[in-house]
Amino acid sequence: MASGTEQGVEHASPLAQAAGGPAVCYRELSRFPAITRAALGTAAEGQTFLLYTECSRPDPSRRRLLRFSRHYSLRRTGGGGLAVSQAALSTEIHNQLLSQDSPTGQQRAVLSRCPQQGHELLEVWGSRGRSHSVDLTALGKHGAVYTEGPFACLAWSRSETRLLYVAEKNWPKPRPPSPWDVPGAARPVEEDEDEEGEQFVYREDWGEALSTRSVPVLCALDLEGSSLSVLEGVPEHLSPGQALWSPDDCGVVFVGWWHEPFRLGLRACSNRRSGIFHLDLASGLCELLSAEHSAACSPRLSPNGRHLLYLEGDLGGPHRQCLRLRMLTWQTRQTVTVLDVVQEPTEAFAGLYAETLPLRCWAADSRRAVLGTPQRSRTDLLLVDTEAATVTNLTAGLPEGCWELLTLQWDLLVASCSAPHRPPSLVVAVLPPSGRELPLHWVRVEDSPTVPGVTWKTLTVRPPCSRQSPATHGAQAFEALLLSPSDSTAPHPLVVCPHGGPHAVFDARWRPSMAALCRLGFAVLLVNYRGSLGFGQASISSLLSQVGEQDVADTQLAVEQVLRSEPLDPHRLALLAGSHGAFIALHLLTREPERYQACALRSPVSNLPALLGTSDIPDWRYASLGLPYSFERVPHAEEVAAMLLRSPIAQAAQVRTPVLLCVGAQDRRVSPTQALELYRVLRARGVPTRLLWYPEGGHALAGVETEADVFGNCARWLLWHLGQPQQDGPGQHSP
């Protein structure tokens, strides 16, 4: 069937044939590297700096990410300028799991995995080579080190003599089979009877993409004494992470997540109860620094050690929301709100929505900080004056729609920027003195070319006032990004993409898959319906109790507006979405059975009540209906009925559009059985349906091979069903 579909695509789309087909197009546009980390070191007299960056891109031949480093020299020039030169050739990074440079930039800690034994090694490198190497696995004091996700960290002490990281608690290894494991056989007397019956005890984890994260512990490596210790004193009801050393190196600041009575999914959920804590290593006293009942994270200590910045949000409700920026004065323990939650955005500031602050976000004056956050359909860099509580947008109006701060050291900004038609570029700038930040002069270190064949614009959509609440959220404007082919073959078919979340956002960044669709001849509409991040907390809250109604209506409203204003073919429309975006797409198929000619979905939500017992975030099922959640809550019959009425599966009989479903068997957020149930229902009703089942895939269907396969199948599905009219369709496909 796959080969027949490919032939049909080539026959149906001459443009796709000219572009080399979906696989070739995607491979070409995926070759541009993403910049994942940057660090600065000083050289002669503080006027020359060494810039180290880490990059990654897909390596299809090896079916994994190719990771490599680049090195540059930066020299200050007159007038606050910078001269940039490449200092060394790019080199591939092998087996590295985590790395972090010391405060002075003179040392680098590297966590790597030994390819022969699989052991984790923590090494320290400097100008004279490797100075320390510790086999963490051989020491056996903890389990695997956390190298990514919300808990992970690798922090230097100010004295640069100790390292701090987070690892899994050291669990007893399962007892291997023994000769006496037969009925009636006598056991050795010395065998520990306490371990009997413990082998299959269930251990909770932190859900989607964190299934190996159960009980994290704080670990400290003393480089001078060559000793490793698992820190004691963290309360048993907390899971620690995001740790750093206190200003005097005598304690540890960390984020602690409450995990009683049980753990809820933590990935992309900034509403879980957590606090900022200080653990005094001498006394063992653990002190709560933030509010008792809030969601606090991302502590960042100022260069002078006097102030601690962190993010704070409310508990429950939307999993992502507008956050407060809080600052604690270390000596007095007094906390102030630097930036509060923004209900309605202004032109100058739309609120904070970032999950984390940059690791190095403070300016040298210990007064200003720089961070990146969605601002409507852009992600901009904002400069915050923590004393004046003011915000300056450093990147507003620039052609790139997505900016990420990689590091800020010695008042040198290192950032990555991109746009829907331009892959990420590496840029640097000198941060001017306070009050003179604008205009900021960015210098391009690695400049990516504009990709031909892709244009884009931002559209503003204004929904009509709600009859029920015209004065509240009914008239809030939202946005959509339109990517279009730049050729003259209009009208183009349109692929409509509502994002997942639902509290997420399509910012104007580089996405190889969307650019590839444009190169294949499609226009693409990325819809930021009301409830998206970047448009104020009132917009986020407006979606509660309106899921399956407001988000669906907004998406269709954006489609109707763009069809009126742009040269698009109204008879060739398709839906491409994942997770909650797929939930919206399915609702559109039931309400507009003849409107869309094709639909390709990833990890779709189709049956809300079925997720109560299968998802790592059952609380969202209640919050989405505007209902309160508590850990001990058991659903009532009327609540289950209300959830089912909001579920696309309840109206599946209305679907006529061919549907492609892509799911990961390891998905903890949206069970793959959601797609399996939908697949069976649609096939039973004669709807052309195909199901792709990825055995190792999670909710995001991530991974070089998986992402390429998902895109290729989705693109071929769209090309077939949106191509020139055929005498015979592809019919049904079996998985």
Side-chain angles (χ1 to χ4, degrees), residues 520-566:
L520 292 171
F522 298 103
V524 181
L525 186 67
L526 308 177
V527 183
N528 288 322
Y529 47 86
R530 283 174 293 171
S532 302
L533 301 179
F535 295 82
Q537 182 62 31
S539 174
I540 293 173
S541 301
S542 73
L543 189 55
L544 301 183
S545 78
Q546 296 297 317
V547 164
E549 299 292 341
Q550 177 178 289
D551 44 1
V552 177
D554 283 357
T555 302
Q556 188 59 32
L557 182 63
V559 172
E560 299 301 337
Q561 176 172 312
V562 77
L563 289 177
R564 290 193 301 268
S565 62
E566 305 294 331

Side-chain angles (χ1 to χ4, degrees), residues 370-423:
V370 177
L371 54 90
T373 182
Q375 299 288 281
R376 296 181 175 84
S377 298
R378 293 176 56 91
T379 293
D380 283 312
L381 296 183
L382 307 182
L383 182 139
V384 180
D385 187 318
T386 60
E387 292 185 12
T390 58
V391 178
T392 302
N393 193 323
L394 300 177
T395 55
L398 296 179
E400 296 83 6
C402 179
W403 291 75
E404 178 187 359
L405 180 67
L406 298 170
T407 190
L408 170 53
Q409 297 168 259
W410 302 291
D411 282 348
L412 289 180
L413 294 157
V414 183
S416 170
C417 60
S418 70
H421 68 320
R422 189 167 192 167

Side-chain angles (χ1 to χ4, degrees), residues 135 236 462 646 723:
D135 188 332
E236 291 186 358
R462 301 187 184 279
R646 294 287 182 92

